[in-house]
């Protein structure tokens, strides 16, 4: 057989004949060359929407073609009908309908995928013609397929009709009908339910209906109820669905139909129907129990879905039927059974997770009643929720060690997420049960740990602690009278398992704020935390818990400081923890040292960081390579994290706060801050490291991070370092410019530019980095969007904190302005945002900084052009608020100039977009110039204009209407 020609290899060939379409389809399916496949795909998409499609699609449906070719023909028909309906003359509607009926009849015994596509095509035709051109469409479909003839057997005709009736509502949901038509068609379809319902009932109730027909009936019902068919009108069919549940072949489709029917928003109006459904759902409990015993997860899942859907969607309606409170309580208990279904999630069961949102919904409904009514419901449902807590904690239990070890990593992760969901549910339930819940948990844990006769599993203990942790993490438990007892019980726990130890740690961490108010209890738990620090398996839980304790309880920790520092040093030297946990540990030590007397801080700092300084000295002498780079970045990271939280200034704040605990450290002596002392000692070493690693952005970033975090923490106490750091930053940036150096310069400008003593070095640094960056712009800044972004943020900060910096003759203000205009055209959104911020800070200073006023007057039109270019489609739509702010500032501070610039900039045809007319541009300009007060309004105007420019616009409020276009502005 001769290989077909590669018609699609020459996409300019637009000869859409049957033969060429077949060749292209062969190429798409069988050509091994991916490029040829892509060309064929592109060509076929053009063919499908071409006028010739009307000719070749019928030919492609010929019985002698293979299903893939027939499918393309049917798809082309659907595309033409659904997307190009207006091209079809009205006098051809009937013949097209007749042809489609004929083809569906032919394919009712043929390829299923082609049959479905033809049904979708006829459904699309029906949606476009009903109700005017094709009234009673569904009734006619039913009549046509019930008629004998055509040599097609009755079962095949029946299945084809059901397929057509199933896809009709589905096609409606995805159709591109205009909104007004959607309403008309929805109403027409609703009226057609009268033709569909009796047919479905008849087929479902006939004993001789084949299983395939009943399954298709259930699918059809599922599809129609999504059109908001009144529940009262589908009640009989829903009852039939319950009758179909015992049949394994029909179970899944029956569940889907029931769930879709009772979850429709409108169904809550049909109270009597809902009340009839409750006993039907309760009657499934026997089938549910059998499924649990047989390990039939699919059946458990399906029955649970039905019960939860009824409960979740109709809690309030059913709660309000007080005469039927017992049946609703029985439904709640059935859902409770589903929550506590035997087995471990997700290995033995996947059902229990479906129920969790029901408990939120039921609680919300109960708590939303007026107090008298609420009290009655709480009397019934508080015991249910206490039972729920027991069930949830049982479900949260880990399996045996042996079983857990056999789980895959994916199963373990799913179980972790499931426990988080349980934790969230417990936290929510606390809102209803209150302090009694904590007492309940405490009593259970106490009995468990003090009962010597009955051995307990670690899983049971861990689950109860997990319950405490879930609540204490987010709820203020400071006033609970059981926490002291809990803290007292924790040391009695026999911790012989990693999961249990982890939960003990996280529980202690969750109680850190409580420990700050009850420091006498620290001695009970701190030894456990310090002991856990040495276990790499408990890395995350032990380090995060120590960090919380050091942050919340630092003024009560001086007696323990020596021990905490010693243990921390030991685990750091042994490299027990991963990098991120080492950083957390350093932050914990920063909090801890902050509360000590300065001499103790210095002594501890010396012992803590001397080994790292020695290591850094050694690394600084080595030839740069990847392994010592990682070690350098690690050490610099440890120092910056330590300095992030070491803040002795907070001691003054605490002592000034009468409600704070008394400060136990000595008053602050005069002299430099301990962090500054250390930084001055290691400054020369850091310079040595930099000299060798100046080409490496990560090392430079790590160095800058030390100083940036120190500056942020110390603020004005960093003053002794300003001069030498400014000099070092200038040298660094002059040699190899890096964004991190600009970010640190910005921090320095923010804090010290307004201080007379520090203005000279800050001014010199600012002028130097500006000059170096301007030279980058001259060479081509596109390769350095991060530098441009940081540079614009620095300029904005300088304008905000010290606009006098722009009075200097050494600063080329005009060049900075031009750099800003250029940066507005960058594709990176963060860079454009920072540049817009620069201009919104610059424009208000036109009145008080003459060099800025001059450059805006001379070159402001360039700014307007760049902004309009972005609005016209040159920039992401997410940036329109920022462009609007620039326009608003121009309007506020340069009104007369803006009017001229807008007129001139918008004059060229096709700018800022070929899609907007001169009239639309004039309207936009007038609207902008009117708004000098309402920034929100300017943002709306810009967003609507950008939609116009991009061809995405719908007529909206600011576009002039015929009846108000000449009204004066208020």
């Amino acid at each position: 057989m001769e290989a077909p020609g590669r018609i699609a290899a020459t996409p300019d060939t637009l000869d859409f004949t049957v033969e060429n379409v077949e060749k292209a389809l062969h190429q798409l399916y069988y050509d091994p060359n991916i490029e040829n496949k892509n060309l064929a795909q592109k060509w076929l998409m053009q063919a499908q929407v071409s006028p010739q499609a009307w000719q070749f699609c019928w030919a492609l449906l010929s019985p002698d073609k293979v299903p893939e070719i027939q499918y393309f023909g049917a798809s082309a028909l659907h595309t033409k009908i659904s997307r190009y309906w207006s091209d079809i003359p009205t006098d051809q509607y009937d013949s097209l309908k007749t042809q489609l009926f004929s083809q569906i009849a032919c394919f009712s015994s043929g390829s299923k995928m082609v049959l479905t596509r033809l049904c979708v095509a006829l459904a699309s035709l029906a949606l476009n013609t009903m109700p005017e051109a094709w009234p009673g469409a569904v009734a006619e479909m039913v009549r046509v397929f019930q008629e004998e003839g055509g040599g097609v057997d009755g079962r095949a005709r029946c299945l084809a009709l059901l397929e057509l009736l199933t896809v009709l509502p589905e096609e409606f949901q995805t159709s591109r009908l205009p909104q007004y038509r959607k309403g008309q068609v929805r109403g027409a379809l609703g009226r057609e339910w009268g033709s569909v319902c009796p047919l479905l009932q008849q087929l479902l109730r006939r004993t001789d209906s084949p299983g395939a027909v009943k399954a298709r009936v259930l699918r059809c019902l599922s599809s129609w109820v999504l059109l908001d068919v009144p529940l009262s009108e589908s009640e009989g069919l829903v009852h039939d669905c319950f009758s179909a549940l015992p049949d394994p072949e029909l179970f899944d489709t029956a569940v889907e139909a029931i769930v879709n029917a009772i979850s429709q928003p409108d169904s809550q109006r049909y109270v009597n129907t809902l009340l009839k459904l409750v006993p039907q759902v309760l009657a499934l409990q026997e089938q549910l129990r059998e499924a649990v015993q047989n390990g039939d997860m699919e059946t458990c899942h399906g029955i649970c879905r039905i019960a939860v859907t009824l409960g979740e969607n109709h809690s309030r309606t059913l709660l309000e039927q007080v005469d039927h409170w017992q049946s609703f309580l029985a439904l709640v208990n059935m859902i409770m059974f589903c929550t506590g279904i035997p087995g471990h999630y997700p290995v033995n069961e996947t059902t229990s997770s479906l129920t969790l949102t029901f408990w939120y919904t039921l609680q919300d409904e109960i708590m939303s009643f007026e107090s008298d009514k609420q009290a009655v419901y709480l009397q019934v449902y508080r015991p249910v929720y206490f039972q729920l807590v027991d069930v949830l904690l049982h479900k949260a239990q880990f399996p045996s060690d042996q079983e857990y070890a056999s789980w895959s990593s994916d199963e373990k992760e799913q179980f972790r997420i499931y426990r988080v969901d349980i934790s969230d549910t417990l936290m929510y339930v606390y809102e209803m049960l209150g302090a009694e819940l904590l007492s309940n948990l405490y009593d259970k844990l106490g009995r468990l740990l003090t009962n010597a006769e009955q051995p307990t599993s670690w899983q049971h203990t861990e689950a109860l602690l997990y319950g405490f942790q879930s609540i204490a993490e987010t709820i203020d438990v400071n006033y609970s009278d059981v926490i002291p007892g809990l803290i007292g019980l924790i040391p009695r726990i026999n911790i012989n398992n990693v999961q249990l130890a982890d939960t003990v740690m996280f529980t202690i961490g969750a109680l850190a704020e409580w420990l700050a108010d009850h420091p006498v209890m620290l001695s009970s738990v701190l030894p456990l935390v310090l002991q856990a620090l040495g276990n790499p398996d408990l890395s995350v839980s032990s380090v995060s818990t120590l960090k919380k304790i050091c942050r919340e309880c630092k003024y009560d920790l001086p007696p323990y400081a020596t021990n905490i520092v010693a243990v921390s040093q030991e685990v750091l030297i042994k490299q027990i923890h991963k990098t991120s946990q080492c950083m957390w540990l350093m932050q914990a030590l920063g909090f801890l040292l902050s509360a000590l007397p300065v001499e103790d801080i210095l002594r501890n700092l010396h012992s803590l960081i001397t080994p790292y300084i020695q290591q850094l000295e050694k690394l600084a002498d080595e030839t740069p390579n990847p392994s010592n780079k990682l070690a350098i970045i690690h050490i610099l990271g440890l120092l910056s994290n330590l300095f992030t939280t070491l803040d002795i200034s907070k001691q003054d704040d605490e002592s000034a706060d009468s409600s704070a605990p008394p400060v136990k450290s000595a008053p602050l002596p005069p002299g430099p801050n301990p962090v500054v002392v250390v930084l001055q000692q290691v400054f020369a070493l850091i310079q040595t490291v930099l000299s060798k690693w100046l080409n490496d952005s990560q090392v430079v970033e790590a160095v800058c991070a030390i100083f940036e975090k120190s500056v942020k923490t110390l603020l004005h106490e960093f003053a002794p370092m300003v001069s030498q750091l400014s000099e070092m930053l200038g040298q660094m940036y002059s040699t190899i410019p890096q964004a991190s150096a600009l970010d640190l310069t910005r921090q320095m400008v923010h804090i010290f530019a307004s201080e007379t003593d520090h203005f000279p070095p800050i001014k010199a640094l600012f002028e130097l980095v500006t000059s170096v960056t301007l030279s980058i712009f001259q060479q081509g800044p596109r390769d350095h969007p991060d530098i441009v972004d940081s540079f614009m943020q620095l300029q904005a900060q300088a304008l905000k904190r010290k606009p006098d910096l722009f009075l200097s003759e050494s600063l080329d203000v005009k060049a900075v302005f031009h750099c800003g205009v250029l940066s507005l055209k960058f594709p990176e959104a963060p860079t454009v945002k920072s540049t817009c911020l620069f201009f919104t800070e610059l424009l208000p200073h036109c009145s008080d900084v003459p060099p800025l006023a001059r450059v805006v007057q001379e070159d402001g039109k360039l700014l307007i052009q760049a902004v309009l270019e972005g609005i016209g489609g040159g920039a992401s739509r997410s940036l329109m608020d920022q462009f609007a702010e620039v326009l608003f500032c121009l309007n506020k501070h340069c009104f007369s100039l803006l009017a001229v610039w807008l007129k001139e900039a918008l004059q060229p045809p096709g700018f800022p977009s070929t899609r907007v007319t001169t009239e639309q541009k004039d309207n936009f300009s007038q609207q902008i110039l009117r708004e000098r007060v309402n920034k929100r309004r300017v943002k709306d105007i810009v967003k609507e204009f950008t939609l116009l420019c991009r061809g995405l616009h719908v007529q909206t409020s600011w576009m002039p209407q015929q009846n108000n276009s000449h009204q004066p502005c208020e």
Side-chain angles (χ1 to χ4, degrees):
M1 178 181 166
E2 190 180 332
R6 288 183 180 163
I7 184 71
T10 55
D12 294 334
T13 310
L14 297 178
D15 189 9
F16 300 126
T17 63
V18 173
E19 184 186 7
N20 283 342
V21 170
E22 288 192 43
K23 285 178 182 177
L25 284 165
H26 191 281
Q27 190 170 315
L28 178 67
Y29 286 116
Y30 303 113
D31 195 317
N33 185 314
I34 191 69
E35 201 173 316
N36 288 340
K37 283 179 179 289
N38 290 338
L39 282 167
Q41 171 91 344
K42 186 177 176 184
W43 190 89
L44 286 164
M45 287 171 72
Q46 290 175 301
Q48 205 170 28
V49 300
S50 69
Q52 295 95 310
W54 285 117
Q55 281 74 51
F56 68 66
C57 61
W58 300 110
L60 294 177
L61 289 166
S62 172
D64 60 341
K65 306 293 184 189
V66 294
E68 289 85 355
I69 289 174
Q70 293 171 333
Y71 181 81
F72 182 79
S75 289
L77 265 173
H78 173 244
T79 300
K80 297 298 285 182
I81 293 170
S82 61
R83 290 169 57 186
Y84 300 95
W85 177 253
S86 58
D87 295 348
I88 305 172
T90 52
D91 60 354
Q92 290 185 22
Y93 290 175
D94 282 343
S95 64
L96 181 57
K97 177 174 60 174
T98 304
Q99 281 178 289
L100 280 168
F101 270 128
S102 173
Q103 289 291 345
I104 290 171
C106 291
F107 278 93
S108 59
S109 301
S111 166
K112 170 74 172 65
M113 66 177 184
V114 180
L115 173 66
T116 299
R117 215 73 205 125
L118 288 167
C119 288
V120 171
L122 182 55
S124 186
L125 184 145
L127 296 175
N128 278 293
T129 51
M130 65 190 338
E132 298 89 354
W134 191 5
V138 174
E140 185 178 339
M141 290 173 188
V142 173
R143 192 184 68 253
V144 166
F145 281 95
Q146 283 181 332
E147 288 171 358
E148 296 288 338
V152 181
D153 73 86
R155 180 171 174 273
R157 278 203 321 275
C158 181
L159 287 171
L161 172 60
L162 288 169
E163 184 67 17
L164 178 57
L165 294 177
T166 301
V167 300
L168 183 60
E170 292 170 357
E171 179 68 4
F172 172 76
Q173 305 289 0
T174 58
S175 67
R176 302 182 179 201
L177 295 171
Q179 205 57 44
Y180 79 95
R181 279 282 297 148
K182 275 222 164 192
Q184 288 177 347
V185 175
R186 181 184 281 275
L189 284 171
R191 291 189 292 276
E192 298 278 15
W193 174 244
S195 301
V196 178
C197 183
L199 172 72
L200 300 185
Q201 276 187 320
Q202 180 191 351
L203 291 171
L204 208 50
R205 291 174 184 177
R206 276 176 58 171
T207 52
D208 60 343
S209 285
V213 169
K214 288 186 174 181
R216 199 67 62 84
V217 167
L218 293 169
R219 262 193 59 216
C220 188
L221 173 61
S222 263
S223 182
W224 276 83
V225 293
L226 295 176
L227 292 173
D228 295 332
V229 168
L231 188 60
S232 57
E233 292 180 21
S234 61
E235 182 183 329
L237 271 167
V238 173
H239 178 77
D240 294 337
C241 291
F242 278 95
S243 303
L245 287 171
D247 186 338
E249 298 297 316
L250 302 178
F251 181 81
D252 289 340
T253 43
V255 167
E256 205 61 42
I258 294 167
V259 165
N260 285 346
I262 58 181
S263 57
Q264 288 313 299
D266 198 41
S267 56
Q268 61 195 17
R269 290 169 46 204
Y270 304 100
V271 178
N272 289 333
T273 305
L274 290 172
L275 288 172
K276 289 178 198 170
L277 285 173
V278 175
Q280 288 185 280
V281 175
L282 294 175
L284 299 173
Q285 288 179 97
E286 188 55 42
Q287 189 179 354
L288 176 61
R289 288 195 178 87
E290 281 178 21
V292 170
Q293 285 170 359
N294 298 330
D296 181 355
M297 286 168 67
E298 284 74 18
T299 300
C300 294
H301 204 81
I303 292 175
C304 175
R305 274 187 71 199
I306 293 171
V308 168
T309 303
L310 183 59
E312 205 172 300
N313 286 281
H314 305 293
S315 285
R316 189 171 195 89
T317 305
L318 295 171
L319 278 168
E320 286 174 337
Q321 310 313 307
V322 289
D323 293 342
H324 300 270
W325 70 272
Q326 286 172 309
S327 64
F328 182 59
L329 182 58
L331 178 67
V332 171
N333 284 324
M334 181 179 175
I335 295 171
M336 181 77 77
F337 176 81
C338 295
T339 305
I341 208 155
H344 287 287
Y345 182 95
V347 177
N348 314 114
E349 64 90 7
T350 54
T351 297
S352 56
S353 62
L354 298 177
T355 66
L356 297 180
T357 50
F358 164 75
W359 299 109
Y360 285 83
T361 306
L362 179 60
Q363 180 176 324
D364 283 344
E365 297 297 359
I366 291 169
M367 301 307 280
S368 69
F369 285 117
E370 293 170 5
S371 54
D372 293 351
K373 215 171 183 183
Q374 187 188 113
V376 176
Y377 285 113
L378 285 174
Q379 204 171 349
V380 175
Y381 286 100
R382 268 175 69 89
V384 172
Y385 272 83
F386 274 113
Q387 184 191 348
L388 173 66
V389 171
D390 292 343
V391 168
L392 290 175
L393 292 178
H394 180 73
K395 293 297 293 181
Q397 285 185 26
F398 280 87
S400 68
D401 295 339
Q402 187 179 358
E403 188 183 342
Y404 190 65
S406 71
W407 285 12
S408 68
S409 57
D410 186 47
E411 286 167 341
K412 288 177 179 175
E413 176 59 11
Q414 284 186 59
F415 182 59
R416 185 194 67 78
I417 294 167
Y418 175 67
R419 278 171 52 99
V420 171
D421 291 341
I422 285 177
S423 173
D424 292 343
T425 310
L426 289 170
M427 179 194 75
Y428 205 74
V429 167
Y430 180 85
E431 299 294 330
M432 179 193 270
L433 302 181
E436 196 180 337
L437 171 55
L438 289 176
S439 302
N440 188 292
L441 292 174
Y442 173 68
D443 291 344
K444 285 187 170 67
L445 186 64
R447 284 198 298 273
L448 206 64
L449 296 175
T450 55
N451 188 346
E453 296 172 13
Q454 192 174 356
T456 60
S457 68
W458 69 262
Q459 288 92 338
H460 199 169
T461 306
E462 189 278 336
L464 284 167
L465 273 178
Y466 187 68
F468 267 112
Q469 177 206 324
S470 302
I471 295 161
E473 264 178 343
T474 46
I475 306 289
D476 182 5
V477 295
N478 277 8
Y479 304 104
S480 170
D481 55 0
V482 303
I483 303 300
L486 171 64
I487 297 283
L489 284 175
I490 284 175
R492 302 184 62 154
I493 297 170
N494 178 23
I495 302 175
N496 54 4
N497 175 278
V498 169
Q499 282 87 17
L500 175 58
D502 253 338
T503 303
V504 168
M505 285 301 110
F506 284 128
T507 303
I508 294 170
L511 296 171
E513 286 185 39
W514 184 90
L515 287 166
D517 290 340
H518 306 82
V520 70
M521 304 301 285
L522 278 166
S523 58
S524 299
V525 292
L526 251 183
L528 288 174
V529 178
L530 296 179
Q531 184 184 352
L533 274 183
N535 185 342
D537 292 332
L538 304 177
S539 182
V540 173
S541 59
S542 61
V543 175
S544 66
T545 294
L546 181 64
K547 182 180 166 184
K548 285 179 180 176
I549 289 174
C550 289
R551 185 181 64 219
E552 302 298 335
C553 313
K554 61 184 173 185
Y555 298 106
D556 303 293
L557 290 178
Y560 311 98
T562 306
N563 196 15
I564 294 172
V565 172
V567 172
S568 300
Q569 270 186 285
E570 186 183 347
V571 299
L572 285 166
I573 290 164
K574 287 182 179 175
Q575 297 182 340
I576 284 172
H577 302 293
K578 290 180 180 174
T579 300
S580 54
Q581 277 73 56
C582 292
M583 302 305 157
W584 293 357
L585 191 49
M586 278 300 203
Q587 288 178 22
L589 294 171
F591 285 125
L592 173 73
L593 298 180
S594 299
L596 300 181
V598 170
E599 60 271 21
D600 289 352
I601 296 175
L602 288 168
R603 189 181 69 254
N604 278 292
L605 278 176
H606 180 74
S607 69
L608 187 61
I609 66 178
T610 296
Y612 294 111
I613 300 305
Q614 291 168 348
Q615 195 182 345
L616 196 58
E617 285 171 344
K618 186 177 167 220
L619 290 164
D621 291 336
E622 294 176 6
T623 307
N625 66 64
S627 65
N628 60 23
K629 170 186 166 176
L630 288 174
I632 287 170
I633 290 173
H634 181 74
I635 292 169
L636 295 173
L638 292 174
L639 293 175
S640 59
N641 276 279
L642 177 64
F643 297 155
T644 299
T645 54
L646 207 172
D647 185 8
I648 62 171
S649 66
K650 291 283 167 52
Q651 295 184 4
D652 282 344
D653 297 345
E654 290 287 346
S655 52
D657 179 3
S658 58
S659 64
V663 177
K664 301 174 179 66
S665 55
L668 294 180
N673 187 290
V675 172
V676 173
V677 172
V678 174
L679 285 174
Q680 286 174 328
Q681 289 170 357
V682 299
F683 197 81
L685 174 58
I686 288 173
Q687 283 182 305
T688 308
V689 170
L690 264 180
S691 65
K692 289 205 175 173
W693 290 91
L694 205 48
N695 283 310
D696 192 293
S697 62
Q698 289 176 301
V699 175
V700 172
E701 205 172 301
V703 168
C704 290
I706 290 180
F707 293 105
E708 190 176 353
K709 289 179 177 179
S710 302
V711 169
K712 279 181 178 175
T713 305
L714 302 180
L715 301 174
H716 297 284
E717 285 190 65
F718 190 82
M721 298 283 302
V722 169
S723 186
Q724 60 191 129
L725 180 57
S726 297
E727 190 180 341
M728 186 185 88
L729 266 176
Q731 290 168 355
M732 275 169 58
Y733 195 73
S734 301
T735 313
I736 295 178
Q738 308 247 9
S740 50
L742 287 173
D743 294 335
L744 179 51
T745 302
R746 177 164 50 87
Q747 286 295 332
M748 301 274 282
V749 167
H750 175 64
I751 293 163
F752 296 107
S754 300
E755 295 192 5
T756 309
D757 293 347
H758 301 299
F759 183 68
I762 294 294
K763 178 175 179 284
L765 173 62
F766 178 72
E767 289 175 1
L768 176 61
V769 297
T770 299
S771 172
V772 171
T773 311
L774 291 178
S775 66
I776 292 175
F777 270 89
Q778 287 171 352
Q779 295 157 17
R782 272 303 301 120
D783 296 334
H784 308 283
D786 55 335
I787 289 178
V788 174
D789 187 357
S790 296
F791 179 66
M792 285 298 140
Q793 289 187 52
L794 168 62
Q795 297 296 320
Q797 186 67 263
L799 285 160
K800 190 173 186 177
R801 301 294 291 179
K802 194 69 174 173
D804 289 2
L805 286 164
F806 290 82
L807 292 168
S808 169
E809 291 180 4
S810 309
L811 195 76
D812 190 341
V813 175
K814 194 179 185 74
V816 172
F817 186 90
H818 279 259
C819 289
V821 172
L822 190 61
S823 304
L824 282 177
K825 300 175 184 181
F826 269 50
E828 291 82 8
T831 305
V832 179
K833 280 185 181 179
S834 301
T835 308
C836 289
L837 176 66
F838 161 65
F839 282 115
T840 55
E841 292 292 349
L842 181 148
L843 292 166
H845 290 294
C846 286
S847 57
D848 57 4
V849 182
L852 294 176
R854 276 195 302 276
V855 74
V856 171
Q857 199 158 3
E858 291 167 12
D859 296 326
K861 184 182 169 185
L862 294 175
L863 171 59
I864 275 293
Q865 286 172 328
V867 168
L868 290 172
E869 195 177 313
I871 294 170
S876 164
R877 279 169 58 193
S878 64
L879 294 165
M880 292 308 113
D881 278 358
Q882 283 73 27
F883 284 127
E885 295 204 7
V886 176
L887 284 175
F888 183 74
C889 276
L890 280 163
N891 203 19
K892 197 170 181 182
H893 302 285
C894 319
F895 175 73
S896 55
L897 289 168
L898 177 63
V900 175
W901 292 335
L902 273 175
K903 187 175 181 181
E904 291 176 0
L906 290 169
Q907 206 163 14
F911 182 84
S913 164
T914 53
R915 292 188 175 94
V916 286
T917 63
T918 303
E919 185 188 358
Q920 288 168 327
K921 290 194 281 188
D922 289 346
N923 289 330
F924 170 70
S925 179
Q926 289 166 22
Q927 291 285 332
I928 290 291
L929 292 169
R930 281 178 192 164
E931 294 296 342
R932 301 182 67 186
V933 178
N934 190 337
K935 190 191 291 186
R936 180 73 262 160
R937 184 86 180 108
V938 174
K939 289 181 179 180
D940 290 340
I941 292 165
V942 168
K943 282 177 184 171
E944 291 171 4
F945 187 63
T946 197
L947 290 176
L948 260 183
C949 291
R950 296 164 201 259
L952 303 170
H953 192 264
V954 178
Q955 181 82 25
T956 49
S957 56
W958 73 268
M959 293 291 291
Q961 310 292 318
Q962 285 185 347
N963 61 348
N964 66 359
S965 58
H966 302 294
Q967 286 180 359
C969 178
E970 288 184 58

